Amino acid sequence: MYLFYAPDLDTQDCFLNEEESRHCSKVLRLQKEDTIEVIDGKGNFYHAKITAANPKKTRFVVLQTQQEFGKRNNYLHMAVAPTKNIERLEWFVEKATEIGIDEITPILCQRSERKTINHERLNKVITSAVKQSLKAYCPKLNPLTDLSTLITAPTDAQKWLAHCMDTEKVPIKEALRPQQKYLILIGPEGDFSPQEIDFALQNQFEAITLGNSRLRTETAALEACFEVNFLNR
């Protein structure tokens, strides 16, 4: 199967962007009349045929469309503090996309060691993971956002906060209401500050635990992602 990503696909005039076209015609050496699969990141999975193989603009026609391909029964929004080693954040973004996630927000916290991200690079990681895992939905990557701004933003999701302080917490499997929207906050390597935790709790976030182990930021975020998907089966 040859799978390509066309986020701005117009079914009346179908073509791949230059990067995908180059991969199609130069790397894979596909030709006119060859069949391909195309996703638009919005839930549509297209079976198509190449009509013109060109490294700048490969054109194709859609033969068959599957709508809501692989649609999940919940909406998961992970808000994660970027790690000092950016490769660890990229690893989380890649694996979470493969497992199943809808929205990712990098957050800026009081103890954050990394205060910038390469948005374009992370989107490339997401696109690659979407294609690798045969997903038709592409997660939304938000800009780096101040934690207090995210905490006070209106949402109809269940709101959870995972932290390491020795206070009362609820296991995620007990807090979860199936087939809902979820927003989960994961802090930096030094954890959320006590002030940030109190502020989140005052804004209707619920403190959750992901187990007894002390996890790295990216591991905790992926564990939460896995549990939400597993519990919604």
Side-chain angles (χ1 to χ4, degrees):
M1 176 187 293
Y2 300 109
L3 183 64
F4 298 93
Y5 179 50
D8 302 315
L9 179 62
D10 177 359
T11 54
Q12 302 302 313
D13 182 25
C14 305
F15 59 88
L16 302 176
N17 64 26
E18 187 170 346
E19 182 177 356
E20 292 285 78
S21 293
R22 184 168 57 252
H23 183 68
C24 176
S25 63
K26 291 293 188 181
V27 178
L28 299 176
R29 298 187 181 280
L30 297 180
Q31 303 293 326
K32 181 179 179 180
E33 300 297 323
D34 284 339
T35 56
I36 57 174
E37 320 298 331
V38 181
I39 53 173
D40 61 4
K42 303 174 181 67
N44 295 306
F45 191 101
Y46 304 97
H47 180 63
K49 181 174 66 175
I50 296 174
T51 56
N54 185 290
K56 291 188 178 294
K57 183 180 283 189
T58 291
R59 293 188 174 276
F60 61 91
V61 293
V62 172
L63 304 177
Q64 184 181 5
T65 303
Q66 291 178 259
Q67 297 179 332
E68 298 187 343
F69 180 83
K71 185 177 182 179
R72 295 164 43 252
N73 62 5
N74 63 88
Y75 189 96
L76 176 57
H77 180 182
M78 294 294 304
V80 184
T83 51
K84 184 177 181 180
N85 182 344
I86 194 62
E87 291 182 357
R88 287 164 50 194
L89 178 65
E90 291 176 359
W91 177 84
F92 160 71
V93 167
E94 177 186 66
K95 301 309 175 188
T97 300
E98 292 177 4
I99 291 172
I101 192 169
D102 301 281
E103 190 170 353
I104 301 170
T105 301
I107 50 176
L108 187 61
C109 307
Q110 290 180 12
R111 296 173 177 171
S112 291
E113 294 189 76
R114 172 172 288 277
K115 299 182 179 180
T116 61
I117 61 168
N118 186 329
H119 198 271
E120 182 179 357
R121 167 63 184 167
L122 288 178
N123 264 321
K124 287 184 177 180
V125 172
I126 288 174
T127 300
S128 178
V130 165
K131 293 166 65 176
Q132 167 66 32
S133 55
L134 301 180
K135 294 279 193 299
Y137 289 93
C138 189
K140 178 184 179 183
L141 177 65
N142 295 317
L144 185 64
T145 303
D146 185 78
L147 176 62
S148 61
T149 300
L150 184 65
I151 286 176
T152 56
T155 177
D156 59 352
Q158 282 192 263
K159 302 189 294 185
W160 297 328
L161 170 77
H163 64 81
C164 299
M165 289 185 65
D166 189 16
T167 59
E168 183 178 351
K169 304 170 193 171
V170 178
I172 191 171
K173 65 180 179 180
E174 295 180 13
L176 182 141
R177 297 194 301 270
Q179 301 181 21
Q180 301 292 320
K181 295 180 179 179
Y182 315 101
L183 169 58
I184 307 178
L185 306 183
I186 304 291
E189 283 97 334
D191 201 10
F192 293 113
S193 70
Q195 295 82 4
E196 289 173 328
I197 294 172
D198 288 342
F199 186 62
L201 296 177
Q202 290 167 12
N203 283 272
Q204 290 74 54
F205 277 81
E206 183 176 12
I208 60 169
T209 176
L210 300 172
N212 297 324
S213 299
R214 190 178 183 90
L215 304 175
R216 288 179 178 271
T217 294
E218 73 279 11
T219 310
L222 192 64
E223 170 66 14
C225 181
F226 174 80
E227 290 210 36
V228 167
N229 279 279
F230 179 79
L231 293 169
N232 272 287
R233 287 181 177 178

